[in-house]
Amino acid sequence: MRRLRELAGRTPARRERYVDLLRAVAITMVVLGHWLIAVIDHDPEGDLRGHSALETLVAARPGTWLFQVLPLFFLVGGYANAASLESHRRRGGDAGEWLRDRSGRLLRPTTVLLVLLAATGLLARLLGVEPVQIRTVVWYTTIPLWFLSAYLCVVLLAPVMYALHRRFGLAVPVVLLLLLTLGDLGRLLSAGWLSYGNYLFGWLALHQVGFAWRTGSLPMRPRVGLPLLVVGLVGVPLLTVLGPYPISMINQPDQRIQNMSPPSLALLALATAQLGLIMLLRGPAERWLHRPRPWTAVVAVNAVVLTIFLWHLTAVILLAGLLDALGVLPTPPVGSTTWWLWRIAWLAALSVVLALLVGVFGRIEIRGSRRATHRPGWLPTGLARFLTRPPVRLVLILLGFGATVVGLFSNSVAARSGAYPLGLPTGALVSYLAGAALLRLLRSVPSAGEPGPGQPGSAGPGRPGGGHGRSG
């Protein structure tokens, strides 16, 4: 705690603390939303099963308008990535080096999760657990990884998209919004292939707005926020209650089209309302965040924000499994008074389990923001020199990002009931690990012109709260 207070006290005066608060609020809302709708009970054969309470509580689906905050991650990610790119280029770095360094904080905690899941899946298989059961558990715990695959794509395109922002400003998200609208028209007219680009257009549009916030192209003032809030609050019910889009902002199996995957015009309308509210609250929030206690709490959450995101559904599995093994897992009917009362104890118990997981794995995320600048002893000198060539490094960085994205996305779209030996599709796991290993190797080998260890300007430990160099 003392170290956190010291870290918070070293925050530069120029830092936009509000960005960090939004990230902390967003992760809190995501976790609470998932925990609230998570239902773990027994199937007719007596085995544990998980499903969403929203499948039963149809009337509660408008509540997703409050808990669907993934647009905020891309918004604050755009701000943070713009700040990081600016700082990196002032130091003379190029886009390839920026991408290489950016991958560390994102991939190290993710790799630990996947390796542990694969090892656990192998152990369970050796103990005689059926592959389909293993896959069901692993599928549930890796649900958050679809978001990471999308975010990695956005990060990969960030240098190019930032250059477009510097040249064309807010015209870029407008064009992306038009492309997304075209894709939605295709979905509504049964030409679903037109919407494939929306998986990227929607998140990129929000990321570009983050760029505009950072550079001042979008004034973050109440007089701009109020109209945006009104447009969003009017647009969401028009598009959902009266229009063709589903009310739920979280994917539901009974919906012909979805609002989240890919992002829809209705989700962008919700994001518009959120942006307007953010503008209205910015001034009071910034003043509040200059108090030591609130800011220290925000720094603490941001230091382990990815760990919280990656492990919060694992907490559900661990708690439900423990209670079931003890024979005390409550399974009241969804929506009953008993079920709602159980939610209170459920959230409290899950908070304890997640806190323990963060205590164990959070330090991995913090270390993941640091980059070694020494050549591995096993790497031949000739190969290390070859890897310092800018064109070679850029190609390998792109391959590394591509392989990790393919691996994560392949796992997300793989069958929930697939019979995979380790609970993860083998090809997806190999692709991800190969990409992550390649990027890890490139981070350990300084590129031409970079200082080595012990030289002036060499990379030092990352400092949560010390700048906007972290990912959203």
Side-chain angles (χ1 to χ4, degrees), residues 136-320:
T136 300
V137 172
V138 171
W139 175 87
Y140 188 85
T141 57
T142 57
I143 286 176
L145 296 185
W146 77 264
F147 161 80
L148 193 57
S149 64
Y151 190 74
L152 282 169
C153 286
V154 170
V155 170
L156 180 60
L157 293 173
V160 173
M161 299 306 296
Y162 189 61
L164 290 175
H165 167 75
R166 302 296 295 184
R167 178 69 176 85
F168 300 106
L170 290 173
V172 180
V174 170
V175 170
L176 291 169
L177 180 60
L178 292 175
L179 291 172
L180 182 141
T181 303
L182 177 63
D184 271 11
L185 286 174
R187 283 201 285 176
L188 295 171
L189 298 175
S190 300
W193 60 271
L194 283 174
S195 70
Y196 292 163
N198 286 14
Y199 284 99
L200 205 53
F201 300 148
W203 304 129
L204 278 176
L206 294 165
H207 199 252
Q208 294 295 126
V209 174
F211 286 167
W213 178 1
R214 169 66 185 181
T215 61
S217 303
L218 179 64
M220 299 294 288
R221 297 172 184 156
R223 69 169 181 264
V224 178
L226 184 59
L228 289 176
L229 178 61
V230 171
V231 168
L233 291 178
V234 171
V236 172
L238 283 178
L239 291 168
T240 57
V241 178
L242 300 178
Y245 294 93
I247 290 176
S248 176
M249 291 295 165
I250 298 175
N251 292 359
Q252 299 298 323
D254 61 345
Q255 296 172 347
R256 186 176 69 86
I257 62 174
Q258 307 286 355
N259 281 322
M260 188 173 66
S261 298
S264 71
L265 197 59
L267 183 63
L268 269 291
L270 177 64
T272 301
Q274 292 172 345
L275 179 60
L277 184 62
I278 286 169
M279 292 180 177
L280 291 174
L281 298 178
R282 182 184 177 215
E286 274 290 333
R287 290 191 293 273
W288 180 66
L289 288 171
H290 278 78
R291 299 178 182 177
R293 288 185 179 179
W295 178 235
T296 300
V298 169
V299 169
V301 173
N302 275 270
V304 291
V305 66
L306 184 57
T307 304
I308 294 171
F309 183 74
L310 290 174
W311 290 92
H312 75 281
L313 290 182
T314 303
V316 173
I317 294 294
L318 292 176
L319 178 60

Side-chain angles (χ1 to χ4, degrees), residues 409-428:
F409 183 75
S410 298
N411 173 68
S412 296
V413 300
R416 176 179 180 175
S417 57
Y420 306 112
L422 303 178
L424 296 159
T426 303

Side-chain angles (χ1 to χ4, degrees), residues 4 8 15 25 69 85 90 94 96-97 152 194 221 224 235 248 280 294 320 344 357 372 433 459:
L4 279 174
R15 186 181 182 90
V25 169
V69 291
L85 277 166
R90 281 196 299 269
D94 59 25
E97 293 171 2
L152 282 169
L194 283 174
R221 297 172 184 156
V224 178
S248 176
L280 291 174
I344 300 173
L357 290 172
L433 291 178

Side-chain angles (χ1 to χ4, degrees), residues 33-74:
H34 283 167
W35 286 355
L36 278 171
I37 65 173
V39 178
I40 307 293
D41 55 17
H42 299 95
D43 61 20
E45 287 73 35
D47 295 325
L48 282 180
R49 65 178 179 182
H51 56 96
S52 170
L54 294 177
E55 297 174 14
T56 303
L57 301 177
V58 177
R61 292 182 181 182
T64 60
W65 300 357
L66 175 64
F67 286 96
Q68 178 51 280
V69 291
L70 283 183
L72 293 185
F73 282 107
F74 289 93

